Amino acid sequence: LIPRDATIAVVGATGAVGREALAILASRGHSPDRIRAIASERSRGMSIPFAGASLRVEAVSEQSLTGLDACLFCATSQVAKQWAHTAVRSGAFVVDNSSAFRADPATPLVVPEVNAHLIPAARLIANPNCSTIMMVVALEPLRRAFGLARIVVATYQAVSGAGAAAMDELRDQATAALAGSQLPPRVFREPCAFNVFSHNAEVDPLTGVNGEEAKMIAESRKIWNDRSLEVSPTCVRVPVFRAHTQAITVTLAKPATLGAVRDALASAPGVRIVDDARANNFPTPLKASGRDDVLVGRIRTDPSGFDPHSLDPRATSADRPHTTFCLMLSADQLRKGAALNAIQIADVAFAARRA
Ligand SMILES: NC(=O)c1ccc[n+]([C@@H]2O[C@H](COP(=O)([O-])OP(=O)(O)OC[C@H]3O[C@@H](n4cnc5c(N)ncnc54)[C@H](OP(=O)(O)O)[C@@H]3O)[C@@H](O)[C@H]2O)c1
């Protein structure tokens, strides 16, 4: 873990991810006088509760980024591009949550369950997109055991993926709708209360792929170091405050039994199985909210090749090998999809220094 006497700054401390990072650090017993809360000029002087005390927000500046052991950037790409290297130069280990450095070949893109070995040699690490992190954590045990050939994924993404203002928008719109009125959208183009819409990221008119989908494709290939992996996402927003859900159909490189797939998932770090078919108890965003693990359930062989109403042994036997499987997952994208993954990266960096 990051040592308790480390001086840590959270840049973007007033935002959804920054507040989650502070909550994790407080729960681990870090002292308020070792934590620096940094945001924009707008928030200077604001106070943020931390472990029974309060932190006074500083505006980002050269001075606010000196004397740090670690710096977690939880702000915009622009802020990261402008300030992350200043923090590195002044000696801090830096993890950036934005997309600023994710595609940079010189910056490792890390999910500790997959490629923690890249951390010790780096001073700046990019934290992947939230949807990518949870998909990669859930599929890593299958990749290790059987290889991956193709992933088809549909996402059901919480509004908090678009920041603190989007959570206010869902709350305000839902309250207004229940009172019989309508509030015009501010953060999203579509109303988010009682609605479902294609992810708000811009769509590339040439490919038809939106920005979130492009991140899932490019980032999972970079993390797994597999340029030819086939990834086909459809990203969608749903009226949920926090925690994303995904429905995944994955084709393995070599056949596996359903039993072997279950075993691989059950023993994987960062994965918790919630898969009780009798009780219809499966992953949900509410079950995942506030938790560290990626919840995985509905684990089954792909039914597209057989009649699910028959007692076809291809459908019912857990011992027959198949190459394509379906599952769903839910994970708290503010924690494992952002703040927690960033802090786990810093944990590995500090452990490597001590070793
Ligand atoms: N939300 C998620 O689930 C999620 C998941 C993975 C990655 N990310 C990424 O994490 C980053 C933060 O996302 P978020 O959802 O927490 O956004 P957010 O709630 O909108 O918070 C943005 C933060 O950035 C700060 N900021 C904005 N402009 C700034 C400036 N010029 N100088 C200094 N600070 C500035 C804001 O400070 P003020 O309050 O002072 O404006 C605020 O603290 C983004 O890059 C996002 O893409 C988010």
Side-chain angles (χ1 to χ4, degrees):
L1 299 185
I2 309 173
R4 297 243 187 97
D5 61 358
T7 301
I8 307 167
V10 174
V11 180
T14 53
V17 175
R19 282 180 187 269
E20 199 60 34
L22 290 173
I24 294 169
L25 294 171
S27 74
R28 289 173 166 211
H30 287 267
S31 153
D33 36 274
R34 293 277 179 189
I35 305 293
R36 224 174 270 172
I38 299 173
S40 76
E41 199 59 56
R42 295 178 288 276
S43 306
R44 184 202 289 273
M46 189 178 150
S47 91
I48 295 188
F50 184 92
S54 67
L55 304 173
R56 179 87 39 203
V57 176
E58 299 172 44
V60 65
S61 67
E62 193 120 8
Q63 198 195 349
S64 69
L65 297 175
T66 52
L68 300 171
D69 297 300
C71 186
L72 307 174
F73 277 80
C74 310
T76 60
S77 294
Q78 226 179 350
V79 171
K81 281 182 188 150
Q82 191 178 351
W83 294 105
H85 286 292
T86 306
V88 170
R89 275 195 299 277
S90 74
F93 176 78
V94 175
V95 186
D96 176 39
N97 275 288
S98 81
S99 58
F101 305 106
R102 290 180 190 156
D104 172 15
T107 308
L109 184 65
V110 173
V111 176
E113 287 83 349
V114 180
N115 56 355
H117 63 279
L118 299 177
I119 300 170
R123 302 304 313 257
L124 167 67
I125 302 256
N127 210 38
N129 161 272
C130 46
S131 301
T132 308
I133 294 177
M134 59 188 72
M135 179 179 83
V136 161
V137 168
L139 296 183
E140 171 64 4
L142 305 186
R143 186 191 72 86
R144 285 195 187 201
F146 317 110
L148 301 177
R150 179 175 163 82
I151 301 164
V152 179
V153 52
T155 71
Y156 307 74
Q157 297 186 221
V159 296
S160 54
M167 295 174 88
D168 294 339
E169 177 143 312
L170 176 57
R171 192 175 297 110
D172 294 347
Q173 282 183 1
T175 307
L178 291 172
S181 61
Q182 275 187 333
L183 284 181
R186 297 183 304 265
V187 176
F188 301 113
R189 286 195 187 169
E190 303 282 350
C192 60
F194 307 107
N195 199 14
V196 166
F197 53 90
S198 177
H199 192 282
N200 43 293
E202 218 173 295
V203 177
D204 180 334
L206 287 178
T207 61
V209 174
N210 72 34
E212 183 81 353
E213 293 158 358
K215 287 176 188 172
M216 290 187 79
I217 297 166
E219 294 182 20
S220 57
R221 287 177 179 162
K222 180 171 175 181
I223 295 161
W224 277 322
N225 195 22
D226 181 353
R227 296 279 129 205
S228 60
L229 179 67
E230 293 181 12
V231 184
S232 177
T234 301
C235 292
V236 170
R237 286 266 182 226
V238 294
V240 163
F241 280 108
R242 64 187 279 168
H244 294 348
T245 295
Q246 297 179 355
I248 297 178
T249 299
V250 56
T251 301
L252 306 176
K254 60 179 190 208
T257 64
L258 180 59
V261 164
R262 278 185 194 285
D263 289 348
L265 288 165
S267 58
V271 171
R272 198 161 68 82
I273 305 294
V274 180
D275 200 20
D276 182 351
R278 277 168 200 268
N280 228 309
N281 180 20
F282 299 118
T284 67
L286 287 182
K287 285 173 198 157
S289 287
R291 306 193 76 115
D292 293 349
D293 288 334
V294 176
L295 310 185
V296 176
R298 295 294 324 273
I299 306 161
R300 60 203 192 277
T301 52
D302 173 16
S304 61
F306 51 74
D307 175 1
H309 295 296
S310 78
L311 284 180
D312 184 335
R314 286 175 305 165
T316 52
S317 168
D319 302 328
R320 275 174 173 263
H322 295 267
T323 49
T324 305
F325 293 85
C326 303
L327 54 83
M328 65 181 286
L329 64 81
S330 295
D332 189 328
Q333 98 290 347
L334 291 174
R335 287 181 82 85
K336 185 58 189 169
L340 177 68
N341 197 68
I343 288 172
Q344 288 171 331
I345 288 169
D347 286 341
V348 175
F350 282 93
R353 280 183 202 179
R354 281 195 301 271

